[in-house]
Amino acid sequence: MQATKSFEQAFLKQMLLGIQLSAVSHTTGSLQERKSAIKLSADVAMAVARGSKKWTRGLIASLSKEEQNRSFLQFVLGKEFERPAKICHSSWKIPRSKNIVRRSLRFLSKRQSNIRAPNSSVLAGTLVEKRTQVLKRLVPGGESMDAFSLLDETLDYATCLQAQVDVMQKLMTTLEASKHSRRADSDAQCPKEKFHLLAMVGSWYSTRKGLRKRLSKRPKLTL
Amino acid sequence: MQCPTAPPSSKKLSAGLQHQQQQQPRPSAHDFTKTIVLASTPFGMVPDGWTGVADGAQIQYPVLGAANVGQENASANSFENSTKKRKAPKSKQESRSSGAEEEGTARGGATSKNKKKASGSDATKETDYIHVRARRGQATDSHSLAERVRRERISERMKYLQELVPGCSKIMGKASTLDEIINYVQSLQRQVEFLSMKLAAAEPRMHLSSSNFFDREELNTSCNSSSVPVMGVSSDQLKHSGLQLASLQQDALASSLNVHGCSTWDAGLHGFYDGEIHRGSHLSPGNHCKVNNNTSIAVCNQAETAPFALWEVSYPTI
C-alpha cells in the first residue's frame, strides 16, 4: 500500500506552512525547541492531510495536551480545534459494564482453574494480547479501539508515517543540495529527489483548475 | 428429490429468492441449507475467496440470472453445506446474497469456498443482512460462526499489514507479525524524530521558504525537461521557458499581498472534520505570495489577513 502522491503534496504544503508559522516565534530557539516545532508541524500536517481518521483525531488530541502546542494548533485548526479536544481522549476506554466484566472474569477463572497445564492456545492468546497492548500505546488514539479497528488504523497510520518520512527525507536532500549549490555558485545539479520534490509541488499547482479565476475572484472556500 | 421448477430467468432475483424462501420450510430430504444472516456494512475491501468485484463501498456480485434453486438443492447433495437462516433480509441484500450463493453452488463440488462476510453489526431496527454459509464440517452455531467471521476479518487485515511491512511476508503467526509491525512503527517514529532534528540543525533560521528550493537554473532544467509548470518566474524567464503560468504570474503579483478568503487551514479543516479522506487536490490555493528579486522566483499563493499579518514580516519587497 503506497501513500498517494496527492497526500504527499498536501502534507508537504502543510508542513512548509506550519514551519513558516512557527518560524516567527522560533527563529532564535535552541535546537530542541526548533526540532520539536518542526516535529509538531510535521505531525499536524500529516494529520490534516490525511483527513478524518481515528488516529488523526487521537494525534491532535494528544498534541493539544501540551500547553505549548496549543497556540499553534489553535492557529492551524481554527475554530474546529476545540471540538476534537473534547470528543477524543486517548485515555478513553471502551465503556464496559462492571457487572458483566465481573461475571465474565469469575466464569473465566472457574474455567481456568480446571485446566492445570497451560494451553498453547492460551499462551498464544496472551502473547497476542500483550502485543496488542503495545500497539495500542504506539498508535495515537489506540486505547479506545477494539482489535479490528486497531489493525485498520495501524495500517493507515503506518502508510502515512512512511509518506511522512519520505517527504522529510526529500526535503532534507533538497535543502542540502540547494545550500551546496548556492555556496558553490555554479549550476545546480538537479538530484533526483529534489526534482521529485519540485515536481510534486509543481504538479500540485498545475492540477489546480481555474486557478486564475480563483485568484481574481476572491472565492469562498467550497469543498 | 424434489426439484422445483426454476423461475424464468429474469433480472429480478427477489422472485427467485422468494422461491428459495418458500423452499426452506419444506422438509426435503436433501435440504441441508440453512442461511446465516448477519448484519452488514460492506467495507469496500474484497476478502479472499470472493468471486465478486468490490466497487467502492459496494460489493457487487455477478448475477447468474434467476435463482436456480433446484440446482442448488441438487448440488447440495454433493456437498454438505450447512447454513442457518435467521431473519428475512432486505431485498437488496437478498439479491446480492442469492447471486453469490448461486455462484457458489454453481461452482460447488466437494469443497465450497463461498462465504459471505458481514462487517460490523447493527442493532438498530434498520438492519441489513447478508447470508453466510458455513464451510464443510464446521460448527454452525451462531457464536462460532460470528467468531469465525471476526477472525477472518482480522486475518485479512493482518495480510495487508504483512504486505505493508517489508520482510514480513515470510513470517507466519499473528504474534510475530504483530511484533514486526510494532518494530516497524517504532522505527518510523524514531526516523521522524531524527529527521526533524536534522532539519532543525540544517536550517537554523527556519526560513524554509521556496527561495531555498527554487533556483533559476533548476527551474529551467525542470521546466524544460518536463511540462511541469513550477511556481511562476519572472516574465523573461517565462518567455524563455514557455511556461503557461505567465498570466497567472501577473495576476498573482497583482494580488500578491491581497487578502483572499481562502486559506489552506480551512481547506484542511473541512476535509478533516467531515469524515472525508482529505486529498491534496481538494485544497484550494490558500497560500502566500512571495517574490524574490534576486532569483526572480515567485511563489504565488493567497493569504488571509488576520493570521498572515505575521507573514509580512518575512516578505521581501516586491
Side-chain angles (χ1 to χ4, degrees), chain B residues 29-315:
Chain B
H30 306 284
D31 190 337
F32 303 100
T33 56
K34 291 186 274 175
T35 324
I36 285 242
V37 177
L38 294 174
S40 79
T41 45
F43 249 43
M45 286 220 210
V46 185
D48 278 343
W50 283 137
T51 50
V53 172
D55 175 22
Q58 269 201 332
I59 302 179
Q60 298 167 358
Y61 295 101
V63 171
L64 288 186
N68 252 330
V69 191
Q71 258 185 22
E72 187 178 271
N73 260 356
S75 47
N77 295 334
S78 52
F79 65 96
E80 294 150 47
N81 240 3
S82 57
T83 50
K84 222 192 311 176
K85 176 183 170 189
R86 260 202 224 134
K87 267 192 193 176
K90 276 192 170 178
S91 61
K92 185 174 176 197
Q93 299 292 335
E94 286 175 41
S95 54
R96 264 198 239 159
S97 52
S98 63
E101 273 181 309
E102 285 144 35
E103 252 203 44
T105 56
R107 298 182 194 194
T111 57
S112 95
K113 299 225 171 88
N114 249 26
K115 200 163 75 134
K116 274 187 217 157
K117 273 181 253 179
S119 52
S121 59
D122 190 2
T124 61
K125 39 187 160 63
E126 204 71 40
T127 50
D128 298 301
Y129 291 97
I130 281 189
H131 293 268
V132 172
R133 247 192 203 157
R135 287 210 204 121
R136 170 184 188 157
Q138 289 189 335
T140 62
D141 57 310
S142 58
H143 289 296
S144 50
L145 269 165
E147 249 184 62
R148 189 159 1 108
V149 164
R150 180 179 160 273
R151 254 182 282 146
E152 294 281 335
R153 279 160 52 192
I154 289 189
S155 60
E156 178 203 338
R157 286 288 184 274
M158 297 287 270
K159 230 181 301 172
Y160 281 115
L161 279 166
Q162 271 186 327
E163 286 172 17
L164 179 71
V165 178
C168 215
S169 37
K170 1 184 164 134
I171 296 185
M172 299 298 150
K174 257 204 256 179
S176 357
T177 334
L178 277 177
D179 226 8
E180 288 299 314
I181 292 168
I182 288 174
N183 285 337
Y184 187 60
V185 170
Q186 275 175 338
S187 75
L188 281 177
Q189 283 176 339
R190 266 183 262 134
Q191 263 189 310
V192 169
E193 295 254 351
F194 177 66
L195 277 172
S196 61
M197 175 89 66
K198 265 182 90 176
L199 274 174
E203 194 61 44
R205 294 161 300 130
M206 299 260 294
H207 284 313
L208 287 175
S209 58
S210 52
S211 58
N212 289 331
F213 305 129
F214 303 110
D215 270 358
R216 209 178 308 166
E217 301 87 8
E218 291 158 30
L219 269 178
N220 274 343
T221 45
S222 60
C223 296
N224 292 338
S225 50
S226 73
S227 59
V228 169
V230 201
M231 326 288 184
V233 291
S234 69
S235 40
D236 54 337
Q237 291 279 328
L238 282 173
K239 286 163 199 160
H240 204 14
S241 48
L243 278 181
Q244 305 124 341
L245 285 183
S247 41
L248 171 63
Q249 171 75 0
Q250 324 290 340
D251 294 356
L253 277 179
S255 59
S256 58
L257 286 179
N258 285 348
V259 180
H260 288 270
C262 321
S263 85
T264 344
W265 314 123
D266 285 347
L269 288 179
H270 279 266
F272 190 75
Y273 293 110
D274 287 351
E276 294 166 354
I277 294 184
H278 186 75
R279 300 272 172 183
S281 52
H282 287 172
L283 287 175
S284 78
N287 319 300
H288 69 275
C289 226
K290 199 166 180 177
V291 176
N292 193 329
N293 283 334
N294 297 339
T295 58
S296 340
I297 309 287
V299 179
C300 305
N301 298 303
Q302 300 168 23
E304 226 176 24
T305 10
F308 282 64
L310 306 165
W311 297 81
E312 297 178 275
V313 175
S314 52
Y315 278 10

